[in-house]
Every structure is written in C-alpha cells, then in structure tokens.
Amino acid sequence: MSQHVSALQRETGLRLTERAGRGINLTAAGRALAAEAEHVMVSLSGMESLVADLRAGRVGTLSLGYFSSAGTAWIPTVVAALVQEFPELRVDLGLNDVGGTNTAGADVEIVVDEQYDAVLGGYRVHPLMRDEYLAILPRTHPAVAVGQVPLADLAGERWVDSDPYAGYCRQVTMSACAEAGFTPQFRVQAPEYATAISFVAAGVGVAVMPSLAVGLLPANVRAVPVVAPAPSRRIGVAVKDSAAQHPAALRVVDLLKEQVGALTRA
C-alpha cells in the first residue's frame, strides 16, 4: 500500500500523507483525492455495467431501414420480438424506398436488387428470398381459372399503377412488359399496393406487384402468377459491419429468416 501511495504522490506531485505519531494521516490533498476517487470508482463500475448491457443488446439504439411491402409484411412481428427481448433498446425505423425516409447508414437494411450494390460497402448482405410477381385480377378474369397468366395476355387490359415514385419494383414490371412486347396502359395511379388492390376490386383495372405486397384480398379479387416472362426481385437483409456482433441486429436477421420460412411453408 505504501508503494502505491508513494507512486501516486510522484505522479501527482502532491503530498498525500503525513506522520501522526506512529501512524500516518491523509493530508487535505489526500482527503480530497480519496473522496474524488470514490466517485471515479462508482463511475467506472457503472461504465462496466453499461458496456456489459451494450454487448448484450439490452440498451442503446438499433436503426432499421426497410421498403414499404417488407414493412407491412415483416416489420411489426420483428419489432414486437425486439421490444420483448430487448426492452431497453430503442429501435429507429425508416423507409428506404423512393420517397421514404433517408436511412443511409442504418445498422440493418432490408433491401431489394438495386439496393444491394448501394449497401455492400461496410455491410454484409444476407439473402432472404426471391419474390415472384403476381397479377391482381377480378375473380371472373379467364386467367384465374388457368392459375397463371402470360404477361402478354394483359397487354390490352387497363392497368392500375401501384408505385407513385416509379421505383425499382415498378421498373421490374416495366422491363418484363417490354420483354413481352408491350407498354402497359395505366388508367389510375394508386399511392401504394393496398389501394391498388382496392382499385382492382372496384373494377378499374388489373395490377402486377410482388407477392410480398399482396395481403388479404377482397372476395372478388384473385392473385395469379405472372409467366412469360416471370418477373421477380431478390430480397436480402444488410447488416452494417459495426453492428455485426450486436445481439439485436443478429436477432433481426434470424426473425426475418423465420418470416421467409413461414411464407415458404404457407
């Protein structure tokens, strides 16, 4: 102990102890330093506890970016699990498709084809699924009985556009139509997929959209696969390198894979 005190006196340039009979007492400087040291030790202990919590994902913030159809299909279940398993974790959410919130730099990003290249730097992409496109048709449409529809058969139909931002998913549809030899004639512009389906139900036209975007359909509407060609999009989840070991980020990947597995089994 005397060696530690001597070393501390040399480092601080202060006299910390003084003789008092056969013992020693702290000087005023020594008492002040001792009192402050107690606060420092408490702070260090608190910091160690915080570090342990951060490593376990119990506190802090996790940012998650996603596109709209993934948000409807997956995000509520994912967030519900995170809230239960990491109750002190703050989850920041934002849309990353065209017209949405800028989530550049989010810890975790759910991405489609065109976004893969954009997020590869500093991220690792985990593939999730290949999302096939479906035609949303009135129940009485001839293709419903067949169970699929060649895209060229929809060339003469009135179309409902479900992507007001002309984003990647619409580009997939337009490229497939071009391959089939026509340009779709859009009768109305819907703000998102659910409204587009409602327009089909109302008899306005037909629509083509990714299967992930198709939720519960009205009774007078059916969804059938599109063929010749069969457009699709890759979906993956990109995890930032700095969050690669974050328990909550790893849990998001697992939860999304569970969601995809449930879709495959359905």
Side-chain angles (χ1 to χ4, degrees), residues 170-194:
R170 185 174 185 271
Q171 294 171 26
V172 170
T173 301
M174 297 300 290
S175 295
C177 290
E179 185 177 343
F182 73 99
T183 299
Q185 301 302 309
F186 292 109
R187 173 60 61 90
V188 66
Q189 173 72 70
E192 33 70 41
Y193 296 118

Side-chain angles (χ1 to χ4, degrees), residues 102-156:
N102 181 11
T103 61
D107 299 314
V108 182
E109 294 267 4
I110 305 176
V111 295
V112 292
D113 282 295
E114 71 163 4
Q115 296 170 312
Y116 271 67
D117 293 338
V119 300
L120 281 180
Y123 284 81
R124 177 187 175 191
V125 178
H126 304 260
L128 289 176
M129 65 179 292
R130 173 72 68 172
D131 192 18
E132 308 293 337
Y133 277 53
L134 302 176
I136 310 302
L137 307 171
R139 183 181 59 186
T140 55
H141 195 284
V144 171
V146 177
Q148 64 181 28
V149 59
L151 194 54
D153 287 1
L154 301 178

Side-chain angles (χ1 to χ4, degrees), residues 20-142:
R22 294 184 178 182
I24 60 172
N25 286 335
L26 291 175
T27 63
R31 288 193 299 271
L33 193 59
E36 186 62 29
E38 182 178 357
H39 297 308
V40 170
M41 294 306 294
V42 170
S43 296
L44 287 175
S45 177
M47 184 174 294
E48 290 176 356
S49 177
L50 176 60
V51 169
D53 285 341
L54 288 170
R55 285 176 175 167
R58 289 188 290 266
V59 297
T61 301
L62 183 77
S63 52
L64 174 59
Y66 57 92
F67 52 88
S68 56
S69 54
T72 301
W74 294 335
I75 294 301
T77 300
V78 169
V79 172
L82 291 179
V83 168
Q84 181 176 3
E85 298 173 25
F86 305 92
E88 297 180 47
L89 178 72
R90 171 179 167 177
V91 182
D92 287 342
L93 303 173
L95 289 171
N96 59 17
D97 45 7
V98 178
T101 305
N102 181 11
T103 61
D107 299 314
V108 182
E109 294 267 4
I110 305 176
V111 295
V112 292
D113 282 295
E114 71 163 4
Q115 296 170 312
Y116 271 67
D117 293 338
V119 300
L120 281 180
Y123 284 81
R124 177 187 175 191
V125 178
H126 304 260
L128 289 176
M129 65 179 292
R130 173 72 68 172
D131 192 18
E132 308 293 337
Y133 277 53
L134 302 176
I136 310 302
L137 307 171
R139 183 181 59 186
T140 55
H141 195 284

